[in-house]
């Protein structure tokens, strides 16, 4: 294992040289399986574990172009049964391809998988190829939650685009009935050798059986921390700092006069939002602390929210970096996500250190996070499911608050610029990333500064 | 400035903002937590209590366990037989109830007046009635309650428990093994008839984790907050499969030889020799499925390379970042940063190098390493002095004050093997000479001048007046950077007690 000082991999998630993991969802329709599948996939990809969802409903929609009624799902509909089984086999084939040809590490098989037979087939498939299997079963008997689910995600499904809401609701409830008759939940006795987590009523209670390894342990921890209570997360950077004005990166300077003005404006904005039980988090750096101070409320400081450590390049301007470290500068443009400043950090390192922040954000309800450019990019990439390539180039301008509200399977974003001018600190990827490029080419995208 | 019973926390920013005061209790962890164990004797309750307490203290959550059996032993000086525990032994019941009350009183004292955050009430608590009493007690005092039940019917596991920890108990000092086992089995019987396990329905309102068959299976109900979530995660990762953890530092490095701290140099000749000796040592130990972990710094990687086995690199295992003091000799630090040097000796655990880290920061970054070490079996960790001190402090339950002074010499392997309620340590020096990099805590006194030449008999607390503005600025920056808030999830009080003569700026 060679160590490259520049773009070393974190190795903090022990490299999984062992087998890929197949996560198998189990549960009646409208129990949150797809919600969990997508969220879990987003989280695993963000922490660097290549993961993909395989949604059986999607395969079915491709096979049977137009959905008619719930009758497709009647247990005695032989024609439909044939199609549904064929879809399952195709999905498993694709999973196999994902693991063997696409370097996938985790696949989430999102389907009802409500019968013992179906689960036995999947276990067989996994055993043949040496995949580990972990079941995630969602059990819910609260009719309010089920109805809310249906309203939120089913009515707008392609299956119901030509129906009115009432019809759709009635049809979907009948669809659920089709499954209920043959539903066999994971059993304490009969399934005692399987690895699984059973989630009861959206997290009220969990039953965890035979966790095999690190990744399953992390998955369990994550699933036990997420919730569906409506809330919003506000992300913003500190107010403009003295070093921002000078075009210098990193450091630990205080706010400029405009930065101070932003802090006061932020206080007004937060008050106007009338947010219930808002928690405020900052980093340990002066500029975020000073910003939070203006809010006049209690705040928590997280060292993990500190800006990316630019190592030897701390407090330099991009021009100075080009002058003193032209090769480093180019290497960074080549792979901004993995590039690690000498004696500093990479975005990849940042993601790793932000993971506990994300975990706590999942547990919390309304939170305002006052942080830094690179940090905000990492957090945003988690919520908006941005890839490692896009992440370092996400636009997070000063004096702008992003309000993220979970909705359906994703996140609604509202961007609010608080009308206090600030320098631009965003540097796009230049066209020429060659190590031997001219300084002009390197500095083409550097924003203006004093 | 502040009474000692209520620690307040002040942030002073050089940009002349008004001090911002937050009472310690109001922070994220709000009310204290009372963890209550549940289960028949020999189900691992005390093992779990002690281990959990050790973990929570290490990550910075003040925790203490209260073992009712201990209170009983203090009360009833001599244990005669299992008859004391018979359900119809009224005298016995009275004493046991008193002991439980005494323990709860001490819990109240710890959580209320001694700054405790979590108390672990270690007793059988096998009846619903007893648990209700505890819940009422907690409600009255504003504590959150979290039950940890251990259920196990495997006779081999129970027998092993008895052999490991019961036979050596003060209760059985005068018995032979067979007598002791027989008596203990009868003791368990006394509890069995009245045992009411936590029930999914009857106890649906309670927060608990039920651990079944030493972790094969868990039932988790109503996790209320961050600390309970962390406790559940920890309990779900520990195991009792016998194994050993080997800790050592990289071989002697070039910078070690020059007396310089930090940096990223390669091994010296002697360091390389150590690596070869280490390879042979590991081979001779014949360890099953050994995993090898290193940091991402050259010196640990070069050491592991000599073992010719696969190894994993963890950035989290990198040595403490000495910031502006990286690659300096202690003499140079003394010359260039005398104040920093003095402050570090005052509170080596919390002191953070400018642009660097503190031991406290290290512990936070090592937490995932500890969690994974708990999951694993046989592991060899090749790391660095400060890192090894942190890991060792976790396994050997050393306090934050002792941690930065633990002796971790080069070329020495520590083999840690869990036994009973603790850890056996074997120290093996591989007989390759190396420089000594250990610096003991120097003599500290109440007064010193910040700007005079620093003698070898270093004194600590600087005496500064409002006229010494440079010192003030430096100090206030140290306060806002360093001692204010070193952890994300728990606001810590400013160590104003370290600066009795400090005069705050007028604004």
């Amino acid at each position: 294992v060679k160590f490259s000082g520049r773009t070393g991999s974190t190795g903090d998630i022990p490299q999984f040289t062992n087998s890929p993991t197949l996560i198998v969802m189990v549960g009646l329709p409208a129990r949150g399986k797809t919600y969990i599948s997508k969220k879990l996939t987003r989280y695993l990809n963000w922490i660097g574990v290549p993961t993909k969802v395989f949604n059986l409903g999607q395969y079915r929609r491709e096979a049977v172009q137009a959905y008619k009624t719930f009758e497709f799902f009647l247990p005695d509909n032989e024609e439909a049964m044939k199609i549904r089984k064929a879809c399952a086999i195709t999905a498993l084939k694709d999973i196999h391809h994902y693991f063997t040809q696409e370097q996938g590490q985790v696949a989430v098989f999102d389907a009802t998988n409500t019968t013992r037979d179906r689960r036995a087939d999947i276990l067989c498939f996994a055993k043949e190829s040496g995949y580990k299997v972990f079941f995630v079963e969602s059990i819910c008997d609260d009719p309010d939650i089920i109805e809310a689910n249906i309203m939120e995600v089913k009515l707008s499904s392609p299956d119901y685009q030509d129906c009115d809401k009432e019809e759709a609701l009635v049809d979907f409830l009948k669809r659920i009935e089709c499954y209920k008759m043959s539903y066999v939940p994971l059993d304490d006795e009969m399934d005692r050798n399987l690895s699984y987590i059973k989630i009861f009523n959206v997290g009220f209670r969990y039953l965890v059986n035979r966790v095999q390894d690190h990744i399953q342990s992390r998955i369990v921890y994550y699933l036990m921390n997420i919730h569906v209570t409506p809330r919003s997360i506000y992300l913003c950077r500190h107010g403009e700092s003295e070093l921002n004005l000078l075009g210098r990166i990193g450091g630990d300077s205080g706010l400029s006069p405009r930065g101070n003005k932003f802090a006061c404006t932020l206080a007004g904005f937060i008050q106007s939002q009338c947010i219930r039980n808002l928690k405020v988090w900052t980093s340990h750096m002066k500029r975020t602390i000073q910003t939070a101070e203006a809010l006049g409320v209690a705040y928590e400081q997280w060292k993990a929210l500190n800006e990316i450590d630019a190592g030897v390049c701390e407090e330099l301007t991009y021009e100075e970096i080009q002058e003193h470290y032209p090769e480093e500068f180019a290497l960074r443009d080549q792979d901004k996500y993995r590039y690690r400043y000498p004696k500093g950090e990479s975005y990849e390192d940042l993601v790793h250190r932000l993971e506990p922040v994300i975990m706590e954000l999942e547990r919390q309800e309304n939170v305002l996070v006052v942080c830094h450019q690179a940090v905000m990019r990492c957090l945003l990439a988690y919520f908006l499911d941005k890839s490692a390539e896009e992440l370092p180039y996400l636009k997070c301008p000063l004096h702008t608050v992003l309000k993220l509200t979970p909705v359906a399977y994703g996140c609604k974003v509202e961007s609010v610029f608080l009308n206090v001018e600030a320098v631009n600190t965003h540097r796009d990827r230049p066209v020429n990333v060659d190590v031997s490029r001219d300084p002009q080419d390197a500095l083409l995208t550097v924003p203006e500064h004093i | 400035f502040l009474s000692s019973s209520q620690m307040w926390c002040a942030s002073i920013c050089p940009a002349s903002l008004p001090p911002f005061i937050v009472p310690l209790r109001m922070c994220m962890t709000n009310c204290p937590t009372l963890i209550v164990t549940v289960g028949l004797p020999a189900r691992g309750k005390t093992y779990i209590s002690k281990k959990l307490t050790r973990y929570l203290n290490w990550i910075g959550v003040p925790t203490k366990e209260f073992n009712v059996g201990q209170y009983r032993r203090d009360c009833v000086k001599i244990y005669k037989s299992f008859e004391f525990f018979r359900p119809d032994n009224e005298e016995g019941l009275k004493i046991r109830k008193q002991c439980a009350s005494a323990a709860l009183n001490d819990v109240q004292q710890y959580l209320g007046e001694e700054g405790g955050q979590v108390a672990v009430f270690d007793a059988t608590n096998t009846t619903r009635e007893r648990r209700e009493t505890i819940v009422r007690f907690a409600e009255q005092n504003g504590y959150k309650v979290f039950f940890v039940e251990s259920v196990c019917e495997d006779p081999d596991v129970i027998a092993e428990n008895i052999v490991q920890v019961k036979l050596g108990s003060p209760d059985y000092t005068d018995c032979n093994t067979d007598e002791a086992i027989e008596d203990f089995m009868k003791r368990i019987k006394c509890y069995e008839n009245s045992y009411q396990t936590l029930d999914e329905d009857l106890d649906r309102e309670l927060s608990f984790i039920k651990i079944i068959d030493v972790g094969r299976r868990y039932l988790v109900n109503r996790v209320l907050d961050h600390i309970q979530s962390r406790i559940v995660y920890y309990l779900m990762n520990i195991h009792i499969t016998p194994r050993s953890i080997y800790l050592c530092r990289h071989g002697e490095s070039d910078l070690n030889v020059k007396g310089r701290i930090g940096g990223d140099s390669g091994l010296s000749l002697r360091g390389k020799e150590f690596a070869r000796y280490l390879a042979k040592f590991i081979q001779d130990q014949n360890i099953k499925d050994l995993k090898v972990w290193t940091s991402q710094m050259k010196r640990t990687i070069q050491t592991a390379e000599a073992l010719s086995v696969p190894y994993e690199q963890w950035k989290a295992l990198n040595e403490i970042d000495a910031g502006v003091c990286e690659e300096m000799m202690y003499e140079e630090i003394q010359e260039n940063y005398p104040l920093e040097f003095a402050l570090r000796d005052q509170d080596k655990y919390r002191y953070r190098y400018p642009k660097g880290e503190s031991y406290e920061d290290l512990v936070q970054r090592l937490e995932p390493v500890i969690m994974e070490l708990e999951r694993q079996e046989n592991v060899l960790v090749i790391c660095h002095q400060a890192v090894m001190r942190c890991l060792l402090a976790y396994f050997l339950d050393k306090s934050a004050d002792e941690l930065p002074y633990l002796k971790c010499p080069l070329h020495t392997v520590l083999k840690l093997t869990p036994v009973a309620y603790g850890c056996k340590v074997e120290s093996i020096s591989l007989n390759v000479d190396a420089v000594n990099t250990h610096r003991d805590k120097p003599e500290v006194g109440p007064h010193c001048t910040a700007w005079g030449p620093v003698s070898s008999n270093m004194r600590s607390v600087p005496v500064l007046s409002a006229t010494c503005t440079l010192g003030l600025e430096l100090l206030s920056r140290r306060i806002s950077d360093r001692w204010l808030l070193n952890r994300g999830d728990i606001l810590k009080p400013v160590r104003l007690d370290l600066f009795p003569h400090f005069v705050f700026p007028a604004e």
Side-chain angles (χ1 to χ4, degrees):
Chain A
V1 178
K2 279 290 141 194
F3 169 59
S4 90
R6 205 153 295 130
T7 53
S9 73
T10 57
D12 278 359
I13 296 173
Q15 300 310 305
F16 302 107
T17 43
N18 33 29
S19 16
T21 303
L22 176 58
I23 298 177
V24 181
M25 303 302 300
V26 180
L28 293 172
R31 262 55 177 182
K33 298 185 300 300
T34 302
Y35 175 82
I36 290 170
S37 301
K38 285 180 184 258
K39 208 168 158 73
L40 185 57
T41 299
R42 178 162 57 87
Y43 167 71
L44 290 173
N45 278 312
W46 186 73
I47 62 171
V49 181
T51 307
K52 190 169 170 186
V53 182
F54 296 82
N55 175 284
L56 199 51
Q58 222 17 70
Y59 283 79
R60 189 258 307 155
R61 272 183 280 276
E62 269 154 45
V64 182
Q65 294 301 322
Y67 173 75
K68 295 205 184 67
T69 70
F70 76 95
E71 306 204 335
F72 182 85
F73 293 96
L74 281 171
D76 54 5
N77 184 339
E78 282 196 24
E79 163 113 18
M81 275 300 183
K82 257 191 357 199
I83 297 174
R84 289 161 72 193
K85 192 154 192 189
C87 286
I89 292 174
T90 313
L92 290 178
K93 268 216 198 94
D94 285 352
I95 289 173
H96 185 78
H97 189 267
Y98 179 63
F99 284 153
T100 51
Q101 311 291 334
E102 296 175 51
Q103 281 92 47
Q105 190 63 45
V106 177
V108 183
F109 186 46
D110 177 18
T112 50
N113 297 315
T114 39
T115 63
R116 184 153 279 124
D117 280 342
R118 171 57 59 84
R119 297 195 292 265
D121 287 342
I122 298 171
L123 284 165
C124 228
F125 158 82
K127 192 161 176 202
E128 272 165 30
S129 309
Y131 305 148
K132 288 185 177 169
V133 180
F134 188 73
F135 292 94
V136 177
E137 181 169 24
S138 174
I139 295 177
C140 182
D141 51 19
D142 181 337
D144 292 331
I145 297 179
I146 295 164
E147 186 165 321
N149 281 356
I150 297 176
M151 301 298 279
E152 186 126 334
V153 296
K154 299 298 181 187
L155 302 187
S156 51
S157 146
D159 290 344
Y160 294 111
Q161 53 191 22
D162 298 321
C163 301
D164 84 354
K165 289 217 166 94
E166 286 305 312
E167 283 175 8
L169 186 58
V170 167
D171 184 272
F172 199 83
L173 288 171
K174 291 203 181 115
R175 210 154 109 174
I176 298 179
E177 290 304 313
C178 294
Y179 285 90
K180 267 193 183 164
M181 300 177 254
S182 56
Y183 179 24
V184 180
L186 289 167
D187 184 77
D188 285 358
E189 265 313 298
M190 300 202 55
D191 296 311
R192 68 177 173 282
N193 287 323
L194 299 182
S195 296
Y196 63 84
I197 178 172
K198 259 193 209 230
I199 304 171
F200 294 88
N201 285 337
V202 205
F204 182 95
R205 189 162 79 233
Y206 305 90
L207 184 64
V208 181
N209 199 64
R210 286 197 187 270
V211 170
Q212 291 171 45
D213 60 14
H214 176 90
I215 194 72
Q216 290 181 16
S217 162
R218 292 286 284 276
I219 289 167
V220 163
Y221 185 41
Y222 182 71
L223 292 178
M224 288 175 60
N225 280 315
I226 60 180
H227 67 78
V228 293
T229 311
R231 52 83 171 252
S232 289
I233 294 169
Y234 298 78
L235 298 182
C236 72
R237 291 167 67 187
H238 52 82
E240 182 190 69
S241 73
E242 300 285 355
L243 284 178
N244 284 146
L245 278 178
L246 299 172
R248 295 184 173 282
I249 68 173
D252 191 15
S253 58
L255 298 180
S256 69
R258 295 195 297 195
N260 269 312
K261 184 152 179 244
F262 164 72
C264 297
T265 317
L266 181 66
F269 170 74
I270 290 300
Q271 249 180 328
S272 71
Q273 289 273 304
C274 288
I275 309 157
R276 197 175 85 93
N277 288 342
L278 179 71
K279 297 261 165 77
V280 178
W281 295 355
T282 70
S283 69
H284 276 200
M285 299 181 134
K286 284 201 205 81
R287 49 201 191 276
T288 57
I289 294 172
Q290 285 176 16
T291 308
E293 283 280 331
L295 305 178
V297 297
Y299 58 92
E300 269 169 53
Q301 298 182 15
W302 290 72
K303 186 172 192 273
L305 284 171
N306 278 5
E307 182 57 317
I308 193 171
D309 184 354
V312 298
C313 297
E314 276 285 316
E315 300 197 41
L316 298 185
T317 60
Y318 287 119
E319 291 83 352
E320 285 164 356
I321 299 176
Q322 170 58 31
E323 193 187 319
H324 300 290
Y325 305 97
E327 195 184 326
E328 296 295 328
F329 201 31
L331 287 172
R332 185 160 203 253
D333 283 334
Q334 283 179 18
D335 189 357
K336 198 171 174 190
Y337 183 72
R338 274 163 217 87
Y339 172 83
R340 192 185 278 168
Y341 282 108
K343 304 196 173 176
E345 295 176 301
S346 61
Y347 271 93
E348 196 172 23
D349 295 329
L350 249 196
V351 160
H352 176 76
R353 90 163 140 84
L354 285 168
E355 202 263 348
V357 177
I358 286 294
M359 196 64 88
E360 191 54 24
L361 273 172
E362 285 294 346
R363 290 198 55 81
Q364 292 290 340
E365 292 184 19
N366 293 316
V367 187
L368 163 66
V369 184
V370 181
C371 53
H372 305 265
Q373 182 166 251
V375 168
M376 188 163 159
R377 285 171 170 156
C378 292
L379 298 178
L380 201 56
Y382 167 74
F383 288 108
L384 303 186
D385 203 16
K386 297 293 181 188
S387 68
E389 279 63 48
E390 300 169 282
L391 187 161
Y393 297 102
L394 293 176
K395 282 205 165 70
C396 296
L398 287 164
H399 300 184
T400 305
V401 180
L402 291 185
K403 177 179 176 181
L404 306 166
T405 311
V407 68
Y409 294 136
C411 226
K412 182 173 82 168
V413 195
E414 294 164 66
S415 172
V416 185
F417 172 59
L418 292 194
N419 258 325
V420 178
E421 290 304 315
V423 294
N424 171 27
T425 57
H426 185 92
R427 189 177 155 265
D428 270 316
R429 187 177 198 264
V431 174
N432 188 348
V433 297
D434 203 71
V435 182
S436 55
R437 63 189 174 176
D438 281 334
Q440 298 106 287
D441 286 348
L443 298 173
L444 209 54
T445 55
V446 172
E448 282 186 20
H449 57 86
I450 298 173
Chain B
F1 184 69
L2 301 157
S3 70
S4 57
S5 62
Q6 244 205 332
M7 295 291 272
W8 293 68
C9 150
S11 116
I12 302 154
C13 298
S16 308
L17 291 171
F20 175 75
I21 314 226
V22 173
L24 183 60
R25 279 284 152 72
M26 203 181 119
C27 325
M28 199 180 99
T29 38
N30 31 44
C31 21
T33 303
L34 177 60
I35 298 176
V36 180
T37 63
V38 180
L40 294 173
R43 263 54 175 185
K45 298 183 302 298
T46 302
Y47 175 82
I48 289 169
S49 300
K50 286 183 183 270
K51 208 169 156 77
L52 187 57
T53 299
R54 177 162 57 89
Y55 167 71
L56 291 173
N57 278 312
W58 187 74
I59 62 170
V61 181
T63 306
K64 192 171 170 186
E65 30 137 9
F66 297 83
N67 177 285
V68 175
Q70 208 35 59
Y71 284 76
R72 188 259 306 156
R73 273 183 281 274
D74 291 340
C75 182
V76 182
K77 298 301 177 189
I78 302 165
Y79 175 77
K80 292 202 188 71
S81 78
F82 76 96
E83 310 248 350
F84 180 83
F85 291 96
R86 285 176 57 154
D88 55 3
N89 182 342
E90 283 200 27
E91 166 105 20
L93 279 172
K94 221 169 68 167
I95 295 174
R96 287 155 71 192
K97 211 164 183 180
Q98 275 168 5
C99 289
S101 294
L104 288 179
N105 268 340
D106 287 352
V107 164
Q108 210 171 12
Q109 169 103 355
Y110 177 66
L111 297 179
E113 284 151 55
E114 294 175 32
Q117 191 61 43
V118 177
V120 184
F121 186 60
D122 177 18
T124 48
N125 298 315
T126 39
T127 62
R128 193 154 277 124
E129 188 200 335
R130 169 58 59 86
R131 298 195 289 264
E132 268 161 27
T133 313
I134 298 170
V135 170
R136 271 199 303 275
F137 161 82
E139 266 165 24
Q140 279 163 7
N141 286 285
Y143 307 149
K144 285 184 178 167
V145 182
F146 189 73
F147 291 95
V148 176
E149 179 171 21
S150 174
V151 175
C152 181
E153 291 314 317
D154 184 337
D156 293 331
V157 173
I158 296 165
E160 180 64 24
N161 281 357
I162 296 176
V163 168
Q164 278 244 343
V165 295
K166 299 300 180 186
L167 301 186
S169 147
D171 291 343
Y172 296 111
T173 38
D174 298 322
C175 301
N176 74 42
T177 305
D178 288 328
E179 282 173 2
I181 293 179
E182 199 191 318
D183 183 271
F184 200 83
M185 297 300 273
K186 291 198 182 126
R187 208 155 112 176
I188 298 177
K189 273 254 167 304
C190 294
Y191 286 89
E192 271 175 7
N193 287 337
S194 58
Y195 182 19
Q196 293 166 303
T197 185
L198 285 169
D199 184 76
E200 281 177 23
D201 286 309
L202 295 174
D203 298 305
R204 62 191 297 119
E205 297 298 318
L206 301 179
S207 296
F208 65 84
I209 178 172
K210 200 193 259 241
I211 305 170
I212 298 155
D213 289 339
V214 203
R216 186 180 57 77
R217 201 169 152 80
Y218 305 90
L219 183 64
V220 180
N221 200 67
R222 277 195 188 272
V223 171
L224 292 179
D225 60 14
H226 176 89
I227 194 76
Q228 288 182 17
S229 164
R230 291 286 283 277
I231 288 166
V232 164
Y233 185 41
Y234 182 71
L235 292 177
M236 289 175 62
N237 279 317
I238 61 181
H239 67 78
I240 56 168
T241 311
R243 50 82 171 252
S244 288
I245 294 169
Y246 297 79
L247 299 182
C248 72
R249 291 167 66 188
H250 52 83
E252 182 191 69
S253 72
D254 287 327
L255 283 179
N256 283 146
V257 171
K258 296 188 182 130
R260 295 182 175 281
I261 67 172
D264 193 16
S265 58
L267 298 180
S268 67
L269 277 171
R270 298 195 296 195
K272 288 183 182 142
E273 200 186 339
F274 165 73
R276 289 193 292 273
Y277 275 59
L278 182 65
K280 178 147 201 316
F281 170 75
I282 291 299
Q283 246 181 329
D284 292 343
Q285 286 274 306
N286 231 339
I287 308 157
K288 187 174 95 90
D289 291 337
L290 179 71
K291 298 260 165 76
V292 179
W293 295 354
T294 69
S295 69
Q296 288 187 355
M297 299 182 132
K298 285 204 201 77
R299 49 201 191 276
T300 57
I301 293 170
Q302 285 177 17
T303 309
E305 282 283 326
L307 305 177
S308 299
V309 294
Y311 58 92
E312 271 170 46
Q313 298 179 20
W314 291 70
K315 186 170 191 276
L317 285 170
N318 279 7
E319 182 56 317
I320 193 171
D321 184 353
V324 298
C325 298
E326 276 284 316
E327 299 197 42
M328 286 192 175
M329 296 189 286
Y330 285 119
E331 291 82 346
E332 287 168 350
I333 302 177
Q334 196 161 306
E335 192 185 312
N336 295 298
Y337 302 95
L339 184 58
E340 296 298 328
F341 204 30
L343 290 173
R344 186 163 202 250
D345 282 335
Q346 259 193 26
D347 191 354
K348 197 172 175 188
Y349 184 72
R350 278 166 213 84
Y351 171 84
R352 192 186 279 168
Y353 283 107
K355 301 194 176 179
E357 295 177 300
S358 62
Y359 271 95
E360 197 170 23
D361 295 329
L362 250 196
V363 160
Q364 184 163 39
R365 95 160 135 85
L366 286 168
E367 202 261 350
V369 177
I370 286 294
M371 196 64 87
E372 191 54 24
L373 274 172
E374 286 294 346
R375 289 199 56 80
Q376 292 289 341
E377 293 183 19
N378 292 317
V379 186
L380 163 65
V381 185
I382 302 173
C383 53
H384 306 265
Q385 182 167 251
V387 168
M388 189 162 158
R389 284 171 171 156
C390 292
L391 298 178
L392 201 57
Y394 167 75
F395 288 108
L396 303 185
D397 202 16
K398 298 294 181 188
S399 69
D401 293 321
E402 300 169 283
L403 188 161
Y405 298 102
L406 293 176
K407 282 203 165 72
C408 296
L410 286 164
H411 300 184
T412 306
V413 180
L414 291 186
K415 177 179 176 181
L416 305 167
T417 312
V419 68
Y421 293 137
C423 227
K424 180 173 83 168
V425 194
E426 293 165 66
S427 172
I428 306 123
S429 163
L430 291 195
N431 267 323
V432 178
D433 282 333
V435 294
N436 172 24
T437 57
H438 185 90
R439 208 180 138 262
D440 269 316
K441 191 177 169 119
E443 283 285 303
V444 285
H447 300 287
C448 92
T449 51
W451 308 111
V454 182
S455 69
S456 58
N457 194 14
M458 211 131 33
R459 316 283 186 81
S460 313
V461 181
V463 178
L464 297 165
S465 70
T467 56
C468 179
T469 48
L470 180 58
L472 260 180
E473 201 225 315
L474 205 61
L475 208 54
S476 70
R477 215 185 314 142
R478 285 295 82 78
I479 289 174
S480 68
D481 284 358
R482 208 125 296 124
W483 282 285
L484 180 52
L485 296 128
N486 279 310
R487 285 187 51 80
D489 48 353
I490 296 170
L491 283 173
K492 281 270 172 68
V494 173
R495 295 297 301 275
L496 296 171
D497 53 298
L498 295 179
F499 304 99
H501 304 288
F502 184 74
V503 176
F504 288 106
E507 69 269 14

